[in-house]
Amino acid sequence: MNCVYRKVTARKIISLMLVICLIWMPGIKAYAEESAPVTIAAPSAILLEASTGTVIYEQNADAACSPASITKIMTLLLIFEALERGDIKLEDEVMTSAHAQSMGGSQVFLEEGEMQTVDTMIKCIAVASGNDAAVAMAEFIAGSEEEFVSRMNEKAQALGMNGTHFEDCCGLTDSDNHYTTARDVAAMSRELITRHPDVFNYTMIWMEDITHNTARGSSTFTLSSTNKLLKQYQWTTGLKTGSTSKAKYCLSATARKDDIDLIAVVMTAPDYKVRFSDAATLLNYGYSVSALYKDANQDALPRLLIDGGVQDDAGLSYQQGFSYLDVKGNDLSTIEKVIHLPESAQAPVKAGDKAGEAVYRLNGETIGTVPILFSENVEKAVYRDYVLKVLSYFLL
């Protein structure tokens, strides 16, 4: 009798558990759907805010992918760095080599010996994704495409792009040794737009004519942007498309809304429409959850007492401004900024040395710090300095 009772009881328990599972399964499914903030078709993607580098969303962001013409983001970065150093100027004229002319794929049909300004070459790269223009600029800056690519790889390492290796400057190669990741593309995109925002003067061009001046005469060629988001998404500012049979369809899309710059990278999308729709989906999600706190740190700081120095105190300055991206709906007006400085510092001190820091707190938690630096040198006082101080005291 006990065995029968136990069997019946066990069956009831199992039946009850099945009923509970059936009741809860829709809820579990709904929760899973709610926990995925966006749905995109591309297998690899990332969304981040540019000023802070905060990642808002990612999906297989470290998967190795062929970048195609997204490679040119690094090419543009090195071009703008050369401009910043003064190595080249926008009005400099660049000659197209036979090697540059031989590039296939996306091109602006430069001819061997043709001269174009750096300014025009940047337009050809940023707007029309000209492989010939990219190689011509690589040769102009570094002497050869090979040397330029070496510099691209060095810059990638400096930016922590450990999942990236370049073999050309335009992305035309199908080599398995030319690869990157969505995260790395976002990193070089962020470096480009935050350090060199003038790139937007080019990436926001929808259509523009250039003039070919060759031995056969003068002709007009219309550059047409490969980035269709410029017409499809009103806050678009750039940045670069890419596509080959190996890479499929890629896009690093930048946008600005309410002073928030977002970067959405989509890799290996199945077709060109999907890369744009996926990017728009990511950007819309980002703007729906993002709030940005900024402090320019231009308020006056006190002078800090210096012990044993040739002067009694030293000026201070912030190293930089502060930005914080919130995606949790917090009230950013409650952020507190607290200055931490010692009562004094011991001489000598050098301009640029750290004196203290500004600490930012939200809801009782530290969300970031900014170093406070000495803005001037104060040498250590010697016997002669003390004598002069005493004399000046009595002479006053």
Side-chain angles (χ1 to χ4, degrees):
M1 191 71 178
N2 288 337
C3 291
V4 174
Y5 175 77
R6 286 173 183 168
K7 288 181 180 179
V8 172
T9 302
R11 287 173 183 170
K12 285 183 178 180
I13 292 172
I14 293 170
S15 299
L16 181 61
M17 290 175 67
L18 288 171
V19 171
I20 292 172
C21 287
L22 289 172
I23 292 172
W24 280 96
M25 277 180 67
I28 293 170
K29 183 180 179 181
Y31 174 78
E33 290 174 349
E34 289 175 2
S35 64
V38 291
T39 301
I40 57 174
S44 179
I46 195 169
L47 173 69
L48 59 78
E49 191 276 323
S51 68
T52 63
T54 303
V55 175
I56 303 170
Y57 173 84
E58 61 179 278
Q59 176 175 295
N60 299 321
D62 295 311
C65 304
S66 178
S69 283
I70 284 182
T71 299
K72 297 186 181 82
I73 295 171
M74 182 60 81
T75 300
L76 287 168
L77 176 57
L78 294 192
I79 291 172
F80 275 91
E81 287 186 343
L83 285 166
E84 184 178 51
R85 290 192 304 268
D87 294 346
I88 62 174
K89 297 180 176 62
L90 288 175
E91 59 270 21
D92 287 347
E93 291 198 327
V94 181
M95 180 180 290
T96 303
S97 68
H99 174 57
Q101 182 190 350
S102 71
M103 293 298 107
S106 300
Q107 54 187 304
V108 293
F109 303 100
L110 298 171
E111 294 190 14
E112 182 181 358
E114 180 177 346
M115 305 289 287
Q116 294 288 355
T117 64
V118 169
D119 181 62
T120 298
M121 288 292 196
I122 296 174
K123 290 176 184 176
C124 293
I125 298 168
V127 180
S129 195
N131 294 323
D132 43 3
V135 173
M137 280 303 302
E139 294 173 335
F140 180 67
I141 291 173
S144 69
E145 183 183 8
E146 291 76 16
E147 172 58 27
F148 189 84
V149 172
S150 177
R151 297 181 189 183
M152 291 170 66
N153 285 316
E154 288 176 5
K155 187 65 180 181
Q157 288 301 304
L159 293 176
M161 296 167 56
N162 298 322
T164 296
H165 185 267
F166 298 112
E167 286 211 335
D168 70 13
C169 68
C170 59
L172 190 59
T173 180
D174 276 338
S175 169
D176 289 338
N177 205 32
H178 187 88
Y179 56 85
T180 189
T181 67
R183 193 182 310 280
D184 285 358
V185 172
M188 64 179 175
S189 299
R190 181 189 178 210
E191 182 75 4
L192 177 58
I193 69 171
T194 57
R195 300 285 186 181
H196 310 283
D198 285 351
V199 71
F200 293 138
N201 296 334
Y202 301 91
T203 59
M204 293 183 71
I205 295 173
W206 174 247
M207 195 171 287
E208 186 170 316
D209 290 341
I210 65 168
T211 301
H212 287 298
N213 291 308
T214 67
R216 295 184 292 104
S218 179
S219 62
T220 299
F221 182 81
T222 300
L223 303 176
S224 181
S225 179
T226 59
N227 186 3
K228 306 312 175 188
L229 277 188
L230 286 171
K231 291 295 184 181
Q232 297 173 5
Y233 194 78
Q234 62 180 346
W235 296 291
T236 300
T237 55
L239 183 64
K240 193 70 198 71
T241 62
S243 64
T244 62
S245 57
K246 181 182 180 69
K248 296 185 180 179
Y249 294 88
C250 314
L251 173 65
S252 178
T254 59
R256 169 171 286 188
K257 179 186 177 186
D258 300 330
D259 290 327
I260 299 177
D261 289 294
L262 296 184
I263 302 170
V265 177
V266 174
M267 303 295 287
T268 325
D271 62 61
Y272 77 95
K273 290 183 179 179
V274 166
R275 68 177 169 187
F276 294 125
S277 62
D278 277 357
T281 296
L282 290 171
L283 292 169
N284 281 332
Y285 169 69
Y287 285 120
S288 72
V289 299
S290 296
L292 188 63
Y293 172 88
K294 287 186 177 182
D295 182 0
N297 279 331
Q298 295 179 344
D299 50 300
L301 289 167
R303 295 181 68 82
L304 186 64
L305 292 174
I306 303 296
D307 296 329
V310 296
Q311 63 188 53
D312 295 331
D313 54 26
L316 303 173
S317 62
Y318 294 100
Q319 184 181 64
Q320 61 200 23
F322 176 74
S323 297
Y324 172 74
L325 185 77
D326 180 73
V327 294
K328 297 180 180 179
N330 288 300
D331 181 1
L332 299 187
S333 67
T334 63
I335 290 178
E336 297 178 305
K337 174 183 175 181
V338 181
I339 303 298
H340 290 295
L341 290 169
E343 292 184 1
S344 64
Q346 189 69 39
V349 299
K350 293 182 179 180
D353 285 350
K354 184 177 178 180
E357 62 183 8
V359 178
Y360 295 84
R361 297 178 66 82
L362 174 63
N363 299 331
E365 295 184 1
T366 299
I367 57 172
T369 61
V370 172
I372 295 174
L373 312 178
F374 290 106
S375 59
E376 57 187 315
N377 298 326
V378 178
E379 298 297 331
K380 186 175 182 179
V382 295
Y383 179 76
R384 179 176 176 274
D385 297 310
Y386 288 113
V387 171
L388 291 174
K389 281 187 179 182
V390 171
L391 289 175
S392 64
Y393 175 79
F394 284 107
L395 291 174
L396 287 177

